Amino acid sequence: MASPAPSLDLPPALHATHAGIWLAREDGSLTRMSRGEALSLAASTPLLLVNAPLIGARLGNPDLHGLDLLELFALLFPAQFAVPTVAGLARAMGLPAPESDEESARSIAKIAGEMLGWCGRTDWAEREGAWTALRQLERLRWSWAPLLDKRIAQPQTAERWLFSRLPVWEEEPPRPQPRTIAMPEEAVLARLAELTGAGAERREGQRDFARAAAATFAPRPFTREPNMVLAEAGTGIGKTLGYLAPATLWAEEAGGTVWVSTYTKALQRQLDREARRHYPNDADFRRHVVVRKGRENYLCLLNLEDALQGGFAGRAAVLAQFVARWAAYSRDGDMVGGDLPGWLPALFRRAGATALTDRRGECIYAGCPHFRTCFIERASHASQQADIVIANHALVMISAARGREANGALSRIVFDEGHHLFDAADATFAAALTGREAIELRRWVIGPETAARRGRRRGLAARLMDVASYDAEGAEAIDAAGEAARALPADDWLRRILEHAPEGAIERLLSAARDTVYARAERDGKDIEPGYGLEIDLAEIDGPLIDAATEAARALEALLAPLQRLGKRMVAVLELAPDWLDGPARARIDGAISALGWRCDLLMGWIALLLRMGGPADPNHVDWLAVDRVEGREYDIGLHRHWLDPTKPLAETVLKPAHGVLVTSATLRGGGDWDTAVGRTGATHMEMPPKLFAVESPFDFASQSEVLIVTDIKRGDLPALAGAYARLIEAANGGTLGLFTAIRRLRSVQARIADRLAQIGLPLYAQHVDPLDPATLIDMFRDDPRASLLGTDALRDGIDVPGESLRLVVLEGVPWAKPSVLHAARRQASGGPTAFDDRHVRARLAQAFGRLIRRADDAGQFVILSAAMPSRLLSAFPPATPIHRVPLDEAISRVRSRLGSAADIGLGSSHHLPGARIDEVK
Ligand code: SF4
């Protein structure tokens, strides 16, 4: 992208990190300034900066605004990737990345100049639409608009606007059911060889894995008894290609669809890349391989149109313009983890981004003017014709449970990252009657009730106007549902409950639940974090709560009845087929029936939960009451019900109806045995035993890694914990992933060490501190080998950072499970509480260790800051891994010396070791 920068008339550039604050002027001068000086300057004049929320967090003003280069990038290069740092933007623009904070401050204006230079270039690929978008942004007083006004020329012909340039999807006839075929072993291995490429080294482990995976696709012997294969393949086996070989072969020969389900977006991206090997032609690839996500991930064009036409105001309206620019160039319209930069919604403090998706199920299907270009519909139609559908566990389970996929599309399923199957089933088959859920249902039925609304929101009556005007009984049911929904919580429900003035049956129930939680919760922060969630099990419930539950159940039944009547009336309308019922209207009513069915299921789940209160315990379920809080601030209250064993509904609704299921993972046995894998995948509930297969990682863990258990950090000694993190990060020269089980401790450690590490050139990013989503933080961490990242458990799952950027993982202690009501119930039911807890910890250790060595040339160390680490848990690590119990000083010298030897193989060699040293962090 490099081109000579034009002369510019730009304001000064502000750069702030934990190490300091700098102001760079166009004449080349650089001033270090205080926080107060920077804030008052930024308030009086718009300054150039990169990533306003992050700079704002560094300066202590989250509302900081300026001429953010990221916003300029989003306008000029929609759907393109950039890491949201000065170095990241420099690289995206083809400029050398600055190596120090001073250089960063100076290069901001250069990067801005480079970007502005593109406005006049003929090879600017995303020109179409920019001039029109700029006119709208000018009207919204976007800060960059005056600087772009003369630079982006008016095109000679009018620009097509977004809604007329998106491709239209075509209806295709349903596929016949897959043919029954045999797949000879040689054919599977030949496909594997084709996928790995000519000249690739023949890997026996991968070939064995492909053979084992192929058994999934054999003809099913009995109804509801699928071929089930559980396959553990250590890191580096190449299991993705190992199962894509039989999967693509079966899909082509049999004419069927294989669903490949993952838990993390990182693996979805990897699959998307690897599947391309079989379809080198892009059009072919898109026809045969489709990525599917839940509806709530995609942009809803109708919501966007509403936002662009005045539904959004202020900063949210500016965001809508950027989203419209992006939508015109997006591959698939996926706003979460697709090609919309993860940092873009964060620049607007998330204002409006979620309102642009179809989160509340308000889609009007064929009644929508954008139905034929809708991203969601396009992905759904494409997947019916695809060979491979890449999806996630939750979507696969919901689709199977609701029977939404046509043509038996969920008949062959590969669950990669299968160690998450239990947790995904746990979340999918749970019921939660909470304030937030209930108000969503109210809005879905009634629609907006106040003028202060954001986006297009319509209630049931407006969405089904044609049914109501045709069918009197349907109209009566809609009115009755609207009336009954007033028992659900309304706006400001939480405030009313906190003021002990609840309104309506459900608010009264939540208020009684909250009183019970506060009365019974025995600890606030001994084992669980203070100021965070409180919960109690739903047992021995007393009078006021039972009365409230009875009243609430009656209110929900009063809502359920008309919704069920309405569903029946719509089925009747479809059968009567009146004149006005053309294809689109039929499709819309079909969609409405399925949305209604989903709401009725939800209500039935809630009613069952309420009716059981006060009665005998249900051995299959665990029920509890919870008050959700962040730092002492309440944000939700509710009743929860989970399956004691969520693999039961998984087996009934997903596994048994399928013909073949492969469950695979690098840590399927969780560092334990096959019983764990069989129990946590649902295989235990199948008639036919699963085929079991395991292959060890080819990596040389003895020389590539080591585990260091630090023996002299006392539990609860925060200064010592922070000091240990700082010294270890310093010894590794960054490249460290620090994992915590408690947000509070993560924040305390970050606050103690961030500035001091920054002083020696080691940036530290932190989940729950930096105002960015985890995926963006991982991008920033991956992009800078000197950076380190602190995060909680969720981060551990999603991170895939091969190579130099990740060379040290530090755990703050033994990752015991949070002592929740649900965990306690499962532990008690397990028959062996210690073994149950051990399995949990082993699985977490194995997964965290798995982040470290991703390739044959990776090397790294794994540190656990806990003297009390039981030896019996060490089987979580690959058998050859050296494990040492050492004091902190020795751990640090081992990290330093390993980094020195790693320099011989290129690790850390390009970065100088800072001379400064952190010994104590108080
Ligand atoms: S079809 Fe539904 S999801 Fe798609 S744009 Fe229209 S309303 Fe939105």
Side-chain angles (χ1 to χ4, degrees), residues 295 298-303 356-358 362-377 456:
R295 308 182 62 84
Y298 294 94
L299 172 66
C300 165
L301 293 169
L302 193 56
N303 284 350
L356 293 174
T357 58
D358 181 38
E362 292 169 323
C363 175
I364 49 172
Y365 298 91
C368 168
H370 308 297
F371 186 60
R372 298 300 303 282
T373 50
C374 171
F375 289 115
I376 304 170
E377 291 301 319
R456 173 190 67 90

Side-chain angles (χ1 to χ4, degrees), residues 275-451:
R276 275 173 197 271
R277 293 169 182 238
H278 185 55
Y279 308 98
N281 167 327
D282 195 52
D284 239 19
F285 172 74
R286 285 173 184 239
R287 199 167 61 249
H288 291 290
V289 181
V290 172
V291 176
R292 275 284 296 278
K293 302 203 176 152
R295 308 182 62 84
E296 66 285 357
N297 287 272
Y298 294 94
L299 172 66
C300 165
L301 293 169
L302 193 56
N303 284 350
L304 176 64
E305 185 181 13
D306 182 72
L308 294 173
Q309 292 179 345
F312 279 13
R315 288 284 287 164
V318 174
L319 172 67
Q321 293 295 332
F322 289 132
V323 171
R325 271 289 277 162
W326 159 78
Y329 293 91
S330 170
R331 176 183 147 176
D332 56 8
D334 174 5
M335 289 185 72
V336 190
D339 49 16
L340 182 78
W343 41 259
L344 187 61
L347 296 185
F348 296 84
R349 305 186 72 196
R350 317 226 150 254
T354 45
L356 293 174
T357 58
D358 181 38
R359 283 194 89 75
R360 293 180 184 156
E362 292 169 323
C363 175
I364 49 172
Y365 298 91
C368 168
H370 308 297
F371 186 60
R372 298 300 303 282
T373 50
C374 171
F375 289 115
I376 304 170
E377 291 301 319
R378 194 191 319 161
S380 160
H381 281 80
S383 68
Q384 286 167 25
Q385 306 295 324
D387 288 354
I388 304 289
V389 177
I390 302 170
N392 58 51
H393 295 352
L395 179 67
V396 167
M397 290 177 199
I398 290 167
S399 300
R402 297 198 188 134
R404 281 211 306 232
E405 297 306 322
N407 311 323
L410 283 158
S411 70
R412 309 300 191 284
I413 312 172
V414 175
F415 286 109
D416 199 341
E417 300 182 312
H419 56 277
H420 284 299
L421 214 44
F422 187 95
D423 292 337
D426 196 22
T428 304
F429 299 107
L433 169 47
T434 73
R436 286 182 153 203
E437 293 282 330
I439 196 172
E440 283 294 305
L441 182 61
R442 178 186 177 115
R443 288 174 181 151
W444 183 80
V445 176
I446 300 178
E449 294 173 82
T450 57

Side-chain angles (χ1 to χ4, degrees), residues 182-262:
M183 286 202 303
E185 192 176 296
E186 315 78 71
V188 173
L189 295 179
R191 174 59 58 91
L192 177 63
E194 182 216 307
L195 288 173
T196 51
E201 183 194 342
R202 181 170 150 147
R203 294 196 273 174
E204 283 312 320
Q206 191 182 40
R207 285 163 60 87
D208 291 344
F209 181 87
R211 282 190 198 98
T216 312
F217 302 95
R220 182 173 69 173
F222 302 103
T223 312
R224 291 181 69 79
E225 289 185 30
N227 299 300
M228 190 160 181
V229 179
L230 307 186
E232 184 178 273
T235 327
I237 285 294
K239 68 174 162 24
T240 312
L241 293 181
Y243 61 69
L244 281 178
T248 52
L249 189 63
W250 178 84
E252 280 164 29
E253 303 278 317
T257 302
V258 179
W259 283 65
V260 181
S261 178
T262 76

